[in-house]
């Protein structure tokens, strides 16, 4: 068992990304039941709403689940921390802010802490603050992204070199080849969001799933650069409207209002794609089926083994050629 699996008490090194206000118990439980780590994203939801989702997820699975707390997004950081303790949630994921003030409080209670970062500097600071593991998120990822726009391929090996705790890769991974690739870069596993949207258990609108299944390699784009708020979305009438508004001048506050979690729910859960948005990573272009979560994870592991074996065989051929 690798370090990440041992740390999180899971069977496969696959973590579900937090999905903000479209988080739900059925998908989270399905990921955990399949041997990964299911995650509830708190988004901007009130603590009472998050608590109900946590309780339902725990009714559906006895395996570990996590709560993602986006520190600069939610106004309820302290209250959400209390829910982690109250419901014995074994893992917390901290993102979108400085985790240092909060890590010791979770560690005192035996909660494992994952910190989501997008730079070597922040990975080092998270480890120094007591984080148990790092999720290093590249520019390819869906949703709120880093202004640094560093790709997963370049980010992972640099962070792995800089810290001693396990690192999972996020952004641009949705199949076994991607898993094998990031493992070869030194990561211990992956965190995925977009791939889990296109599954039977994900209770999102069918139009959201269809957009992913029909996506080409250029079917996502970045909005928010003009406002300093990077976000990767699937192309829809609403996302195109956002880009047009940016061209004509859009304040950070206006952009925030147009990309808040209510607009997220309108697009993802209600399918009104001219009135709300849907997040999507660049991996969307590789997704062409919506199987069960269990099938996704099992296929990923098998594909990763095949990819690793294939790479090993190719390297042996190079070695053999050099020895002649």
């Amino acid at each position: 068992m690798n370090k990440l699996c041992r740390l999180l008490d899971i069977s496969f090194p696959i973590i579900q990304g937090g999905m903000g206000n479209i988080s739900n118990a059925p998908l989270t439980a399905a990921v955990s039941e399949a041997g990964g780590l299911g995650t509830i994203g708190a988004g901007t939801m009130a603590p009472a709403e998050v608590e109900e989702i946590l309780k339902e997820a725990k009714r559906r699975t006895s395996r570990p689940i996590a709560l993602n707390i986006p520190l600069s997004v939610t106004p309820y950081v302290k209250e959400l921390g209390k829910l982690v303790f109250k419901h014995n949630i074994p893992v917390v994921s901290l993102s979108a802010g400085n985790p240092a003030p909060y890590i010791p409080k979770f560690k005192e209670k035996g909660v494992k802490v994952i910190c989501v970062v997008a730079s070597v500097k922040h990975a080092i600071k998270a480890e120094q603050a007591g984080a148990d593991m790092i999720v290093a998120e590249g520019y390819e990822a869906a949703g709120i992204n880093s202004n640094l726009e560093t790709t997963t391929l370049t980010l992972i090996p640099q962070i792995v070199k800089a810290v001693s705790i396990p690192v999972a890769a996020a952004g641009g991974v949705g199949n076994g080849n991607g898993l094998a690739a990031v493992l070869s870069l030194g990561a211990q596993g992956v965190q995925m969001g977009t791939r889990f949207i296109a599954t039977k258990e994900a209770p999102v609108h069918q139009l959201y799933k269809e957009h992913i299944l029909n996506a080409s390699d250029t079917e996502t784009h970045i909005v928010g650069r003009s406002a300093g708020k990077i976000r990767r979305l699937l192309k829809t009438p609403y996302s195109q409207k956002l880009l047009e508004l940016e061209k004509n001048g859009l304040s950070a506050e206006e952009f925030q209002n147009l990309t808040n979690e209510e607009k997220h729910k309108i697009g993802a859960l209600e399918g009104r794609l001219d009135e709300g948005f849907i997040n999507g990573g660049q991996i969307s272009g590789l997704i062409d089926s919506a199987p069960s979560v269990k099938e996704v994870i099992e296929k990923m592991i098998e594909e990763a083994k095949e990819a690793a074996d294939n790479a090993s065989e190719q390297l042996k051929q190079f070695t053999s050629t050099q020895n002649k």
Side-chain angles (χ1 to χ4, degrees):
M1 184 180 291
N2 77 357
K3 293 179 181 178
L4 186 150
C5 290
R6 189 163 55 247
L7 174 72
L8 302 178
D9 191 25
I10 58 179
S11 301
F12 303 115
I14 298 172
I15 301 168
Q16 175 195 0
M19 295 178 178
N21 289 38
I22 69 166
S23 283
N24 56 85
L27 180 58
T28 294
V31 173
S32 291
E33 280 292 292
L37 180 69
T39 303
I40 300 296
T44 59
M45 289 186 284
E49 187 174 358
V50 175
E51 183 170 27
E52 288 306 308
I53 299 173
L54 288 173
K55 286 162 67 175
E56 184 184 349
K58 292 196 71 176
R59 284 194 294 268
R60 289 172 175 263
T61 182
S62 60
R63 296 186 178 185
I65 63 172
L67 176 65
N68 170 249
I69 303 176
L71 299 171
S72 63
V73 175
T74 176
Y76 306 111
V77 175
K78 291 183 179 179
E79 293 87 346
L80 293 169
K82 291 178 181 178
L83 289 181
V84 171
F85 305 141
K86 177 180 178 181
H87 294 285
N88 297 312
I89 306 301
V91 183
V92 67
S93 166
L94 303 178
S95 61
N98 178 16
Y102 307 99
I103 293 175
K105 298 173 184 177
F106 290 113
K107 296 295 290 291
E108 286 172 8
K109 301 285 188 178
V111 177
K112 298 294 189 299
V113 179
I114 299 172
C115 289
V116 183
V117 305
S119 72
V120 171
K121 176 183 176 181
H122 290 145
I124 292 172
K125 286 189 173 183
E127 181 179 32
Q128 291 173 341
D132 293 290
M133 67 165 284
I134 298 293
V135 166
E137 186 171 70
Y139 168 67
E140 302 92 327
I144 296 173
N145 221 314
S146 168
N147 293 351
L148 300 173
E149 300 190 11
T150 308
T151 65
T152 303
L153 181 66
T154 55
L155 182 63
I156 297 304
Q158 293 181 72
I159 287 184
V160 167
K161 183 179 179 181
V163 301
S164 59
I165 54 179
V167 176
V173 181
N175 59 22
N177 289 338
L179 173 58
V182 298
L183 292 177
S184 73
L185 295 175
Q188 293 282 315
V190 298
Q191 176 174 287
M192 304 191 304
T194 305
R195 172 65 270 196
F196 286 133
I197 290 293
T199 57
K200 292 177 181 177
E201 292 89 343
V204 299
H205 199 278
Q206 185 61 28
L207 285 178
Y208 190 177
K209 296 184 183 184
E210 289 176 5
H211 261 68
I212 294 173
L213 298 179
N214 296 325
S216 68
D217 59 328
T218 59
E219 208 62 29
T220 72
H221 50 197
I222 293 291
V223 299
R225 284 196 180 102
S226 67
K229 301 283 187 180
I230 301 295
R231 185 186 282 270
R232 185 177 294 282
L233 305 179
L234 284 164
K235 291 181 180 179
T236 62
Y238 191 79
S239 69
Q240 297 286 1
K241 182 173 74 173
L242 286 174
L243 288 176
E244 287 301 315
L245 289 171
E246 283 193 77
K247 288 179 184 177
N248 297 323
L250 192 66
S251 70
E253 183 179 357
E254 289 171 327
F255 179 80
Q256 191 69 30
N257 290 334
L258 290 168
T259 55
N260 61 30
E261 284 298 324
E262 287 306 309
K263 298 295 186 183
H264 187 193
K265 290 169 68 175
I266 287 171
L269 301 182
E270 299 177 23
R272 291 188 279 149
L273 302 183
D274 57 342
E275 299 177 50
F277 64 88
I278 46 178
N279 293 323
Q282 286 185 313
I283 196 65
S284 298
L286 277 175
I287 300 172
D288 57 11
S289 64
S292 69
V293 166
K294 186 173 187 289
E295 289 168 330
V296 166
I297 290 178
E298 289 179 347
K299 185 176 181 181
M300 278 189 69
I301 298 301
E302 288 304 313
E303 286 178 342
K305 290 176 181 176
E306 291 176 10
D309 288 344
N310 181 54
S312 179
E313 282 301 313
Q314 292 193 58
L315 289 171
K316 287 178 183 177
Q317 292 174 19
F318 301 148
T319 304
S320 176
T321 302
Q322 287 179 338
N323 291 336
K324 287 182 179 180

